[in-house]
Amino acid sequence: MSTTATADLYGTTGRTINGDPFGDPIRPRWELRAVGADRPITIIDVQHTVATMLRTLRAALSPDAHGDTIAADLRATVAEISDAARRWARADIPLTGALAELSIGFDTLLADLSATCRDNRSLRAGTTRVLSMHSQVSGAIAISYADHTADSTPDDIGCQRRALADALLLGRAEVREVAAFDIPVTDRWQVIAVSTTPLVGPRRVKGSLTECVHDVLGNHVLPLLSDNGGSILVPISCDADIVGDAQRTEIAERAGIDLVFTSTVGPAETLPAMAEQSDVLVDLTRGMGVTTGSFTLDDLAVEYQMTRPGPGRDRLTALIAPLGTEPELLHTLRTYLASGLDRRATAKALAVHPNTVDNRMIRVASILDLDLARPEAMVLIRSALLAESSCGHRPSR
C-alpha cells in the first residue's frame, strides 16, 4: 500500500482544524464496524479499528490537550484495542498483520505531524507522544494475542491436531495417529474441501468457523480451516457418519457465512488423493460462481470432465483467449453470468451504470464473434470460462 493511499485510508492527509492538524477528532473515512455479529473477522476489520483509534488519539496531539485528558483517553483506547485484539486472535488474524496495520496508522500520524508542525519544539513533543502511544498500543495487542494462545491451546493440543490433519492430507502421517486425540481409527474417511463467502446483512455469529464445525460435527473431526475455507477430515464408521448438506447448512448459519462443501469418501490410505479431488471440485464451484451447497463428483461429473487436460479443454480455452488482454471485459462477463444475465444486478456489483454493462457486453460479443442473445452461445461461454479457470494455479491449503 502506498503512502498516499495509506494516508487517505486513515483520513488524515492535509486535514487541519483552525490551523492545528490535530486540534479536534477528525472522522476517519473508514469507520469501525460492529464485527463478529454478521460475518467473519478479517484484516479489513483491523484497519477499521486502527482508523477509529487514530480518531481518538489524534486529539491527544493537540497543543491544547490537557495531560489528564490525554492519559484517560489513552487508557480507554488501550483497553478497547486489547478487546479488539482478542477477537482478531480468535479469528486467526496473524499478529504480524495486526501490528503492520498499526504501524501504518502511526506512520500516517507522524507524517502529518512532520508536515504541519509550526516549529521544531512542537515536532519533538508530538513525535515523543506518538512513539509512546505506539509502544503502549502495540504492547497491548501483543499481550492479548499471548493471552489468547495460553487460553485456547493448552499443551498445544489445537496446534497438534492441525499439524496432524495437514500431515494426513499430505500423506506424511499414519491414520492410526488420530487415536492420540480420541478420534476413532477407521478404514474409511471423508475429505471435505470448504469454500466460504461472507453474507451481507445482520447474522448471529456463534464462533469461528472451526468452532462452528466442532459444535455441529463434534470433536472427532479434524478441521484445517481459515477465513477463506480449507479442509475437514471425517472418520467414517458407517454411512450415517457421512457429512451432508444439513450439517453444512447448520455450520453456515452458525458461522454467518455461505459455505460450499465438496467431498470425497474412500479408503484411509487414499487420503491425499481424496483431498486433491475435493480441492479440484471446490475450484470448479468457484469457477461456476457457486457460493452455497454440497457437492460430490457425481454432481459435477460433466463440469469436471470439461476441465480435464485434453483437446476439448484446449478448444474451450482458445475460445475465451481473446479476452485475456481485456481484464475489465473478462471481469464484466464473469459478473454478468454470476448475476443471472441481469444487466442491472451486474451494474450494481461493478458499481457502474447499466449502459456501461451493455457497452462492455457488446464489445465482448464482437471480440468473441458470438451472438450473446443465443442461449447456446452463453452455454459455450460458461463452459469456456470454466475450462479457463481450471488452468490457473490453486492456492495452497
Side-chain angles (χ1 to χ4, degrees):
M1 182 180 296
S2 68
T3 303
T4 301
T6 298
D8 188 57
L9 167 66
Y10 292 108
T12 60
T13 302
R15 306 292 187 87
T16 63
I17 299 293
N18 296 328
D20 258 333
F22 304 106
D24 289 299
I26 303 173
R27 189 178 186 85
R29 177 169 297 182
W30 283 11
E31 289 292 352
L32 173 64
R33 296 178 292 177
V35 298
D38 60 347
R39 54 175 171 65
I41 295 173
T42 70
I43 197 67
I44 298 298
D45 298 298
V46 178
Q47 295 171 342
H48 283 225
T49 303
V50 171
T52 302
M53 176 196 70
L54 294 181
R55 180 179 59 185
T56 300
L57 295 184
R58 193 177 298 118
L61 294 175
S62 167
D64 300 325
H66 191 274
D68 292 340
T69 302
I70 294 173
D73 287 346
L74 185 56
R75 283 195 300 270
T77 298
V78 168
E80 291 171 2
I81 207 75
S82 295
D83 290 340
R86 279 188 283 272
R87 293 194 296 270
W88 304 338
R90 288 195 297 270
D92 294 330
I93 300 294
L95 174 59
T96 53
L99 292 178
E101 291 300 330
L102 185 71
S103 294
I104 289 172
F106 274 101
D107 285 349
T108 303
L109 283 186
L110 284 172
D112 276 352
L113 188 69
S114 177
T116 56
C117 273
R118 293 184 290 266
D119 54 63
N120 289 336
R121 181 178 179 182
S122 298
L123 178 59
R124 286 194 298 270
T127 299
T128 300
R129 286 184 181 179
V130 170
L131 293 177
S132 176
M133 292 173 179
H134 190 186
S135 175
Q136 293 184 57
V137 174
S138 60
I141 292 175
I143 289 172
S144 292
Y145 269 76
D147 289 345
H148 169 75
T149 300
D151 292 341
S152 62
T153 56
D155 300 325
D156 291 328
I157 295 299
C159 292
Q160 292 175 26
R161 286 173 63 99
R162 288 178 62 88
L164 176 58
D166 194 35
L168 288 170
L169 290 172
L170 295 173
R172 297 174 181 170
E174 298 291 334
V175 171
R176 64 174 180 270
E177 295 178 41
V178 303
F181 301 97
D182 294 325
I183 297 174
V185 180
T186 62
D187 293 330
R188 294 174 70 212
W189 284 74
Q190 179 182 20
V191 179
I192 303 171
V194 181
S195 176
T196 67
T197 305
L199 291 176
V200 177
R203 301 287 293 177
R204 180 174 179 80
V205 178
K206 301 180 180 179
S208 69
L209 181 55
T210 297
E211 291 169 340
C212 293
V213 166
H214 281 308
D215 288 345
V216 175
L217 303 183
N219 288 324
H220 67 284
V221 302
L222 285 171
L224 189 61
L225 299 166
S226 69
D227 285 342
N228 298 320
S231 301
I232 305 172
L233 281 69
V234 184
I236 304 297
S237 299
C238 61
D239 287 347
D241 293 334
I242 296 176
V243 175
D245 197 57
Q247 292 100 320
R248 181 203 63 80
T249 301
E250 185 176 354
I251 293 169
E253 290 177 349
R254 285 174 173 266
I257 54 179
D258 273 339
L259 289 177
V260 171
F261 278 10
T262 58
S263 66
T264 307
V265 177
E269 61 268 19
T270 64
L271 276 172
M274 288 193 290
E276 177 67 20
Q277 179 170 297
S278 295
D279 284 346
V280 169
L281 294 178
V282 87
D283 284 347
L284 279 178
T285 64
R286 291 191 184 104
M288 296 162 60
V290 175
T291 60
T292 184
S294 298
F295 305 91
T296 66
L297 180 58
D298 289 344
D299 301 312
L300 300 170
V302 174
E303 293 84 356
Y304 178 83
Q305 191 60 40
M306 196 181 300
T307 58
R308 296 304 86 201
R313 188 182 74 173
D314 291 345
R315 291 190 66 178
L316 287 172
T317 54
L319 172 68
I320 209 73
L323 291 180
T325 57
E326 300 284 351
E328 183 179 70
L329 295 183
L330 187 58
H331 180 53
T332 299
L333 176 59
R334 290 185 183 278
T335 307
Y336 183 65
L337 292 171
S339 301
L341 311 186
D342 186 327
R343 61 190 287 271
R344 294 190 179 277
T346 304
K348 183 177 181 180
L350 297 175
V352 299
H353 193 278
N355 289 346
T356 302
V357 174
D358 294 339
N359 292 334
R360 290 180 184 177
M361 293 307 297
I362 290 172
R363 292 173 60 197
V364 168
S366 175
I367 292 173
L368 299 183
D369 194 22
L370 289 173
D371 181 1
L372 301 188
R374 298 173 58 192
E376 56 267 31
M378 298 309 297
V379 171
L380 187 60
I381 287 178
R382 285 183 187 273
S383 301
L385 286 172
L386 186 59
E388 188 270 340
S389 68
S390 71
C391 296
H393 297 287
R394 184 184 315 122
S396 60
R397 184 182 297 109

